[in-house]
Amino acid sequence: MTTVQARPAPDVRRWKALAVCLTAGFISLLDTSIVNVALPSMEHGLGASEAAQSWVVSGYALTFGLALVPAGRLGDMRGRRQAFLLGLAVFTVASAACGLAPTASWLVLFRLIQGTAAGMVAPQTSGLIQQMFQGAERAKAFGLLGSVIGVSTAVGPLAGGVLIDAVGTDDGWRWVFFVNLPIGVATLVAGLRLLPRFPASSARREEFDLFGVLLLGSAVTALMLPLVQEQQWTGQLKWGLMPVAALLLAAFWAWERRQGRCGRAPLVDLGLFSLRSFTLGSLISLTYFAGFTTVFFVYTLFLQNTVGYSALTAGLTVLPFAAASAVGAAIGGRLVVRYGRKLVVMGLSGVALGLLGTVVAVRLVPLEYVGWATALPMVVGGIGSGITVSPNTTLTLTGVPVRRAGAAGGVLQTGQRIGSAAGIAVVGAVYFAHQAGHERSVTAIQLGLLTAVGIILIALVLAVADLRERQVHPETEAAGGTLRRGSQEGGTEEKVRQGS
């Protein structure tokens, strides 16, 4: 009897396509933190000034944040597969250009392009998940996405430290970018074969809201510039951009409402904010990232500058957090259907507890043993982070109609980028202010970490408030029920249209 080899089942192909999306998301988010430990190498090997080093980090964050919402909307309109592959191709080429940069000025330019491409990839990932999965499978897929978001940020310093230690100080920084090339090319080839060809939005002939892009881009620029340049731009004049950002955001909101009333497709469907899960989830995400990402910024600086660790050793010190975060995200992806927002509350509590344990360890343990002493608190914080990011991403996006999934994912991740920039500015200011004049003082890192805990507690308050509201009024967008049913797109779509 002849045995016929079976073709891969459609669901297997979907999970392979998800792996493609997550891999692209991983390398784009990895580049937000991997360069932090490579800055001394850039200074030594390329002669990069402090201003250039700052723009290598902040320029990527800025263009990443600027591209998210317009790119998400473009994917909604013209097809997420095409937008994803284009963004990934540009990101890979820009990574090669960064590694080959002959001067610091060229490096900054290529980093700006790389950040734009990363911002193009990110919202397509969440949009494709919305299209490919429903119900509990969607929750699991978003759980894996949350794992990638948390782990990629945490593992960046370790990956950078390994590369610099292996290659050397002079050229180590170049391999921080070259490492993207084989991954990017392989992911691009796999994406061409595996990513499904969904039709673009066909509800009505939609035009791209160019004026909305201009307003939102100007607002995000005015908001993020003083945050990402807080250490480099001295004086208080930079904060004058904040009211400008507020005015531009108000103008953008008014313009988008006008677009909706006139029957034109807005850049951001404001009706999304009538979904309690989306609004609260976006606020929790923004606040949490303001506290979460700053930990690796100030803690790795403390380990290298005060304790005297190498880049590799400093990266290894945060490995427990990264590994535990992956475990926590896997757990969160499985349990979010059953427990909903309760998981987010538990996760935020775990992160705060882990950071407080780190503060205690830094204070009580001799500095030469601090890396070992903080391992257990880092594990606690990492598990908490995993069951925060993963379930919150699921709860925030699961009720969003598929045709708006790209723009909604862009809004969520723009909040994460703004939160990260704001948190680094605030916590960094506290850390550097108290570090001055104290050669080996641990006061700076303690106060910096306590500030991060305070920010995370704000996110915890928001999550508890949402949980209590759901307990008092269980009929308001019961997340668990929505996830279990997994097929309420039509009703949600109508709610969004009415809200706009």
Side-chain angles (χ1 to χ4, degrees), residues 71 140 196 203 221 245 459:
K140 184 178 179 181
T221 302

Side-chain angles (χ1 to χ4, degrees), residues 84-314:
F84 177 91
L85 293 173
L86 176 60
L88 179 58
V90 174
F91 179 87
T92 304
V93 173
S95 297
C98 287
L100 296 170
T103 65
S105 298
W106 281 108
L107 176 59
V108 170
L109 174 62
F110 295 140
R111 276 288 279 178
L112 295 174
I113 298 172
Q114 190 191 34
T116 303
M120 192 169 190
V121 169
Q124 316 313 329
T125 299
S126 58
L128 286 166
I129 289 174
Q130 292 279 74
Q131 286 184 297
M132 292 190 295
F133 300 97
Q134 290 186 351
E137 281 193 339
R138 182 181 289 177
K140 184 178 179 181
F142 274 130
L144 292 172
L145 176 61
S147 177
V148 165
I149 292 172
V151 172
S152 60
T153 305
V155 83
L158 173 60
V162 169
L163 289 168
I164 292 168
D165 187 71
V167 179
T169 304
D170 287 346
D171 293 320
W173 68 269
R174 295 186 185 275
W175 287 92
V176 164
F177 301 110
F178 286 151
V179 73
N180 292 330
L181 300 187
I183 303 173
V185 171
T187 306
L188 189 61
V189 171
L192 286 167
R193 187 171 66 89
L194 293 172
L195 289 179
R197 297 178 181 272
F198 290 109
S201 176
S202 58
R204 61 175 183 266
R205 182 61 182 171
E206 296 182 341
E207 296 180 357
F208 196 60
D209 184 7
L210 289 176
F211 188 64
V213 171
L214 178 63
L215 283 175
L216 181 61
S218 301
V220 172
T221 302
L223 182 61
M224 288 188 69
L225 265 180
L227 297 173
V228 298
Q229 292 294 103
E230 199 275 333
Q231 293 297 318
Q232 284 68 38
W233 289 359
T234 58
Q236 301 301 314
L237 187 61
K238 59 177 177 279
W239 302 116
L241 286 172
M242 288 299 184
V244 174
L247 290 173
L248 288 169
L249 284 173
F252 171 73
W253 189 273
W255 172 258
E256 295 298 283
R257 286 179 62 87
R258 181 180 181 275
Q259 289 286 94
R261 287 197 299 268
C262 294
R264 303 189 187 98
L267 180 65
V268 176
D269 194 332
L270 300 181
L272 290 172
F273 294 98
S274 68
L275 300 174
R276 181 183 178 85
S277 58
F278 180 78
T279 303
L280 264 294
S282 297
L283 287 174
I284 291 169
S285 182
L286 184 153
T287 312
Y288 176 66
F289 270 76
F292 155 65
T293 54
T294 60
V295 174
F296 306 106
F297 173 66
V298 296
Y299 189 57
T300 54
L301 279 178
F302 166 74
L303 292 174
Q304 292 179 83
N305 297 339
T306 302
V307 183
Y309 282 8
S310 66
L312 175 58
T313 307

